[in-house]
Amino acid sequence: MKRYINCGIAMLAIAAASVTVSCSKEEAYDTAVMRDLQMTLDGEPWSPYYGTDNKVDPTNNNRPIFVYLTDGSYYRNMQSSYRFSLESGEYLVLATNQSTYLNPPTSLNDQVIEQDPETRKTFAVSAPVVYSAGSPMTLELKTRTGMLRLRSTDVKSDKSYAAIRTVITTPVTAYHVGRAEVVLGESYELVREKDTSSGGVGFTEDAMILGSDQPLDIRLDYLDNAGEVVKTRTLEGVDPIKVAPNDTTVVEFMLNNPDERVTINYNIVLGPNRWTESTLYPSTEVKVPEGYTYVAPGESIDDVIKAQAADPSVDEIRIFLKASASYKIGGTSTNTLTKSISILGQTPGYGQSEAVVTVNSFTMSGTFDRVHFENIEFSGLSARLFNINRNTFTLQEVSLVNCRFPNRWNQGIIWNQVAATDRSQIVHKFRMERCTITNFVAGSNPLFNLPAARVEPIYNWEFTDCLFHGNFGSSIFFMKGLDKTDGPVTMKFDGCKFLDTRGGNFTLCNVSPGTTTATVTITDCLVGSSKNGAGTWMVTNSNATVNASGNTRAKGYTMKAYGFTPEPDEAAMTFDEIISSLNL
């Protein structure tokens, strides 16, 4: 993309002197494209792309790159697409595996990540690098936290206490992202508390702390069943206790030595206990958001939905599910949604995955605000997730956030409508964010199939950072049926990937409203197929306007037709390389 400014001849007269400014030709202000991006995490190749089950953080990595102007002011936060564009010039760029810990538009000069008072959070972030737009980019993420593991060596139990409160005092209060160094301040206390029903035998406490060369002070409070302190002990050996970044410090000592008020005999083990992802991070504690009902694994979601649906004091059904656990929704009445509902899975921790929900299909009846699913893996589906058959409803929003449809959900449809009369089924917005459909085998109907015979509109569509992968088939894969919509339609695709494994002649979207207008925005999306020259991205008519920018296509692949301009640039990776990078 280029912008041109015509430069003429200007005459300036100042104090009897004149200066002539002229251009013999147009000056071009280029937008430079980053063509080579390499990212490493602690020295190993790292990729945050969706589709892999080996992500460092399955929820926060979709926009890990932060761009600042050279004075430190915030410029842009972007997805790690294979190629992206920046206006010509120099920038400060960094990447992190915990993008939610940074706070745009905070200046890089003021951007810090505070020490987690609960000592659970860990993160990696690169030092800012000076980047000239258009040149190759290398970002080296480094884990900035380390783990302190306190472990008792006792073989004899002491039942005089019921819990141990660990108080860790450190002068490190935060990590300064711009300076790539820890922030020292007034001593900061980190408190952990753990029940010890075994009387201290086998006691282990793990704490994630910002790594540094600063020594730590450690105090242990022994608590009785009432939470009162029965005795206190500190660790004050000859060797100072420190935690290095990306390493584990193990402190072994006797917890129940009756002759010690100050524990001076302890062993510190470094280096050999360097963690791996499977052993470093403790399971995430289940914290139920306010207003949600927790359904434990093995309990019935159906019973909760029925009870809250029948309770007139409940405006919205809110259910919270445990990560990595399996659930089932199976009752006919629970599959018909009659009031707003939010089914929220616990955000997966390290080594965890989304809650798995087996469901046949949902339908709706009535007038209400929203239907929301988040952090869910849908399993055991029949042909349709939403199968709206002659129901009457008006709904503000349907949203799917960080949801997965894996393992060959063959010929599935996300949204299918059948209606008896016009305008009996109205949805104002359908939104998908950070969702993945993988190894999909398309049938004769698209993922979103609106009725062709009736006016049953969805007015606004948003798809952000989603992956659509599989056999797209020979019919329309993604969407059709807007010809009956009775009002203006907006449709946005941002940061999505469309990867066809079949290599046939597919069509992604048909956006051809018959009696209204449609405005489509496609930004930073990627398309690829196993066969060059196959596929049409979008079929439109004169009622549709498409705004496109920053889109890419797999290296060596050109679609049969795009349906919009400018056409996508060629990416640095081939289709097979993209598939491999996603573990698909």
Side-chain angles (χ1 to χ4, degrees):
M1 179 178 68
K2 293 185 178 182
R3 294 180 298 168
Y4 296 94
I5 298 179
N6 292 323
C7 198
I9 298 177
M11 301 298 295
L12 302 177
I14 303 176
S18 65
V19 179
T20 302
V21 181
S22 66
C23 293
S24 60
K25 61 180 180 179
E26 291 181 328
E27 289 183 354
Y29 289 79
D30 292 340
T31 298
V33 178
M34 186 283 300
R35 300 177 185 277
D36 183 14
L37 171 61
Q38 300 294 328
M39 289 193 286
T40 60
L41 175 60
D42 298 323
E44 298 294 328
W46 181 74
S47 171
Y49 296 110
Y50 283 97
T52 174
D53 286 328
N54 298 316
K55 301 181 288 292
V56 176
D57 180 347
T59 60
N60 295 329
N61 278 349
N62 55 311
R63 294 188 181 274
I65 298 176
F66 289 77
V67 182
Y68 299 83
L69 301 181
T70 53
D71 65 357
S73 58
Y74 175 75
Y75 178 71
R76 186 178 175 189
N77 171 217
M78 67 187 72
Q79 180 184 14
S80 55
S81 61
Y82 303 102
R83 290 168 65 179
F84 55 80
S85 302
L86 292 173
E87 296 293 331
S88 296
E90 287 195 340
Y91 301 84
L92 293 173
V93 183
L94 60 88
T96 177
N97 68 352
Q98 291 283 4
S99 60
T100 57
Y101 292 179
L102 273 63
N103 303 300
T106 301
S107 167
L108 185 59
N109 304 318
D110 301 319
Q111 179 65 67
V112 298
I113 301 176
E114 296 181 350
Q115 167 68 57
D116 175 22
E118 296 183 350
T119 66
R120 292 186 178 277
K121 294 179 180 178
T122 184
F123 66 90
V125 63
S126 68
V129 299
V130 178
Y131 174 68
S132 296
S135 63
M137 181 188 296
T138 300
L139 297 174
E140 298 177 350
L141 286 78
K142 294 181 180 180
T143 300
R144 307 297 178 172
T145 51
M147 182 167 72
L148 172 66
R149 170 167 288 172
L150 304 179
R151 177 188 293 158
S152 77
T153 58
D154 297 270
V155 294
K156 185 177 180 180
S157 175
D158 182 352
K159 297 295 186 178
S160 66
Y161 60 91
I164 293 290
R165 177 193 296 144
T166 303
V167 182
I168 305 165
T169 304
T170 174
V172 178
T173 61
Y175 177 83
H176 196 290
V177 177
R179 298 200 300 263
E181 62 183 22
V182 295
V183 178
L184 302 181
E186 186 177 347
S187 293
Y188 188 58
E189 285 192 349
L190 307 171
V191 181
R192 299 292 301 270
E193 192 169 307
K194 189 172 188 178
D195 293 339
T196 55
S197 58
S198 62
V201 177
F203 171 83
T204 300
E205 182 69 282
D206 294 337
M208 304 305 303
I209 299 173
L210 286 168
S212 73
D213 60 357
Q214 298 294 316
L216 307 171
D217 294 329
I218 299 175
R219 185 183 85 238
L220 303 174
D221 294 335
Y222 297 66
L223 310 178
D224 61 17
N225 286 320
E228 299 295 329
V229 178
V230 296
K231 57 184 174 180
T232 294
R233 184 166 291 172
T234 57
L235 302 183
E236 297 179 12
V238 175
D239 297 322
I241 299 173
K242 302 178 181 180
V243 173
N246 193 32
D247 212 339
T248 302
T249 297
V250 181
V251 182
E252 297 179 330
F253 56 95
M254 284 190 66
L255 195 63
N256 296 331
N257 189 337
D259 300 323
E260 287 186 337
R261 289 189 59 80
V262 175
T263 298
I264 60 174
N265 297 312
Y266 57 77
N267 296 319
I268 300 176
V269 183
L270 300 174
N273 289 280
R274 185 177 297 276
W275 66 66
T276 61
E277 185 174 324
S278 61
T279 60
L280 166 62
Y281 308 109
S283 296
T284 304
E285 180 182 355
V286 177
K287 294 183 177 180
V288 182
E290 184 177 355
Y292 280 78
T293 299
Y294 175 62
V295 180
E299 295 181 348
S300 172
I301 297 180
D302 287 337
D303 291 345
V304 177
I305 294 177
K306 289 177 182 178
Q308 294 192 13
D311 187 343
S313 67
V314 175
D315 295 326
E316 178 175 283
I317 301 168
R318 297 179 180 178
I319 295 173
F320 187 75
L321 308 178
K322 188 178 186 299
S324 296
S326 297
Y327 299 86
K328 183 178 180 180
I329 299 176
T332 302
S333 60
T334 58
N335 287 56
T336 299
L337 307 175
T338 58
K339 63 172 61 174
S340 291
I341 186 170
S342 174
I343 299 182
L344 174 62
Q346 177 192 14
T347 299
Y350 294 94
Q352 294 180 319
S353 59
E354 292 83 359
V356 179
V357 177
T358 300
V359 62
N360 288 324
S361 61
F362 293 101
T363 187
M364 292 170 286
S365 179
T367 299
F368 46 96
D369 288 333
R370 68 167 184 160
V371 174
H372 178 79
F373 299 99
E374 185 169 350
N375 298 332
I376 302 295
E377 177 182 313
F378 288 103
S379 177
L381 292 166
S382 62
R384 293 150 184 170
L385 176 59
F386 293 97
N387 188 29
I388 314 301
N389 189 3
R390 301 181 185 278
N391 296 80
T392 299
F393 59 86
T394 298
L395 184 61
Q396 292 300 314
E397 181 177 281
V398 177
S399 54
L400 301 170
V401 177
N402 196 43
C403 291
R404 300 206 304 164
F405 300 83
N407 302 326
R408 294 196 176 276
W409 180 42
N410 291 339
Q411 299 184 27
I413 299 172
I414 290 180
W415 185 268
N416 187 77
Q417 284 179 256
V418 176
T421 60
D422 286 345
R423 299 178 184 84
S424 61
Q425 302 169 356
I426 297 175
V427 178
H428 289 278
K429 177 184 286 188
F430 195 104
R431 178 170 66 94
M432 289 183 71
E433 181 178 349
R434 304 194 314 272
C435 293
T436 63
I437 295 179
T438 54
N439 298 308
F440 176 83
V441 178
S444 57
N445 291 314
L447 288 175
F448 299 94
N449 191 33
L450 279 67
R454 297 292 180 187
V455 178
E456 310 299 342
I458 299 179
Y459 295 110
N460 300 283
W461 302 82
E462 291 185 7
F463 302 93
T464 305
D465 296 326
C466 293
L467 170 66
F468 303 97
H469 161 267
N471 181 345
F472 289 174
S474 57
S475 300
I476 297 171
F477 161 69
F478 195 78
M479 179 182 296
K480 69 177 182 180
L482 296 183
D483 51 311
K484 288 291 184 177
T485 301
D486 64 344
V489 175
T490 63
M491 191 175 299
K492 297 180 181 179
F493 298 90
D494 180 37
C496 296
K497 299 177 179 68
F498 301 90
L499 301 174
D500 169 54
T501 60
R502 174 177 174 269
N505 210 6
F506 60 90
T507 299
L508 288 179
C509 292
N510 185 339
V511 184
S512 302
T515 59
T516 186
T517 59
T519 301
V520 185
T521 303
I522 306 174
T523 54
D524 297 327
C525 290
L526 170 71
V527 67
S529 176
S530 59
K531 182 178 180 181
N532 185 41
T536 298
W537 196 321
M538 187 162 292
V539 176
T540 62
N541 62 8
S542 59
N543 292 331
T545 301
V546 182
N547 302 306
S549 64
N551 300 297
T552 54
R553 53 185 169 82
K555 183 178 181 180
Y557 167 69
T558 301
M559 295 193 80
K560 177 182 177 182
Y562 292 96
F564 56 82
T565 58
E567 295 184 354
D569 293 326
E570 185 174 76
M573 300 175 71
T574 66
F575 177 79
D576 290 339
E577 289 171 338
I578 294 169
I579 294 295
S580 177
S581 73
L582 294 169
N583 274 357
L584 293 170

